[in-house]
Amino acid sequence: WEKSKLYFMKAIQIQPMKVNAYFQYAKVLRDYVKDYEESEKYHLTAISVDQVYNGLNGSYGYLLYLKGENEKAMKYIELELRWHNKNKWVHFYYGLINKAIGNDNKAEQEILQAVKLCKGKKSVMDRLQVIKELDSVNKDYYARFEALLKNDK
């Protein structure tokens, strides 16, 4: 991990006004290191560099969901959908947050849209495994997504 961290820091140092290194580092901190506070710091820095970067607001919204900040998460997910509504994971996260707040009809709409946007099933299943490891609360939502993917030809 320490060696990877050094590569991210070097990339940020070389191009401090490029959003991608901040964004990728923020996702690694969230998904693999599970350091949500540090991930938030890098998400917010990335947003300050380029607030409409594809996937960024959705990723930050998902982080906020993991932190239990559903209302704030919804704001960032909705921003992402306004700018980039063809991202399967943003629809997946939007459905997940709707499920968490009890809006089951909207959650179902969004999970169906996420499945519709899925192309490479292997990479989707790999990402889903990471998501399931981060959040054990909404297991039924994940099971529904897997079932829909398996039935989607």
Side-chain angles (χ1 to χ4, degrees):
W1 161 242
E2 289 303 317
K3 193 170 184 178
S4 296
K5 182 178 177 180
L6 289 174
Y7 286 119
F8 280 112
M9 292 299 107
K10 184 72 170 172
I12 289 168
Q13 181 184 8
I14 291 169
Q15 295 185 312
M17 295 312 294
K18 296 285 185 180
V19 71
N20 196 44
Y22 296 109
F23 181 34
Q24 297 306 320
Y25 188 49
K27 291 191 298 184
V28 167
L29 287 165
R30 179 194 65 208
D31 294 348
Y32 301 102
V33 181
K34 297 177 181 67
D35 185 342
Y36 295 163
E37 298 311 314
E38 197 70 4
S39 177
E40 183 167 27
K41 176 179 139 185
Y42 282 92
H43 271 100
L44 290 172
T45 301
I47 289 169
S48 75
V49 172
D50 184 354
Q51 69 180 13
V52 298
Y53 191 81
N54 190 3
L56 179 56
N57 286 283
S59 178
Y60 182 51
Y62 176 56
L63 171 67
L64 293 168
Y65 159 79
L66 291 172
K67 293 177 64 178
E69 299 177 30
N70 291 331
E71 187 175 313
K72 195 173 172 184
M74 193 69 82
K75 173 188 162 196
Y76 282 91
I77 295 290
E78 288 172 349
L79 275 175
E80 185 70 37
L81 285 170
R82 189 175 315 141
W83 293 322
H84 308 284
N85 69 354
K86 299 294 184 206
N87 184 318
K88 64 186 162 281
W89 292 115
V90 176
H91 287 280
F92 179 86
Y93 298 149
Y94 193 41
L96 182 60
I97 296 166
N98 274 286
K99 178 81 171 158
I101 62 173
N103 191 348
D104 292 342
N105 289 336
K106 186 64 175 170
E108 181 67 12
Q109 283 179 315
E110 293 303 319
I111 203 170
L112 292 172
Q113 183 62 24
V115 168
K116 184 177 173 184
L117 293 170
C118 285
K119 295 198 178 18
K121 303 266 191 314
K122 170 77 171 102
S123 65
V124 170
M125 295 308 282
D126 290 346
R127 174 73 190 131
L128 183 60
Q129 187 58 40
V130 171
I131 291 169
K132 288 165 52 176
E133 290 170 10
L134 291 171
D135 175 36
S136 62
V137 175
N138 285 296
K139 291 178 184 177
D140 58 330
Y141 186 78
Y142 307 134
R144 173 84 174 124
F145 187 64
E146 285 179 298
L148 288 168
L149 280 176
K150 287 176 184 168
N151 291 329
D152 186 48
K153 306 274 188 260

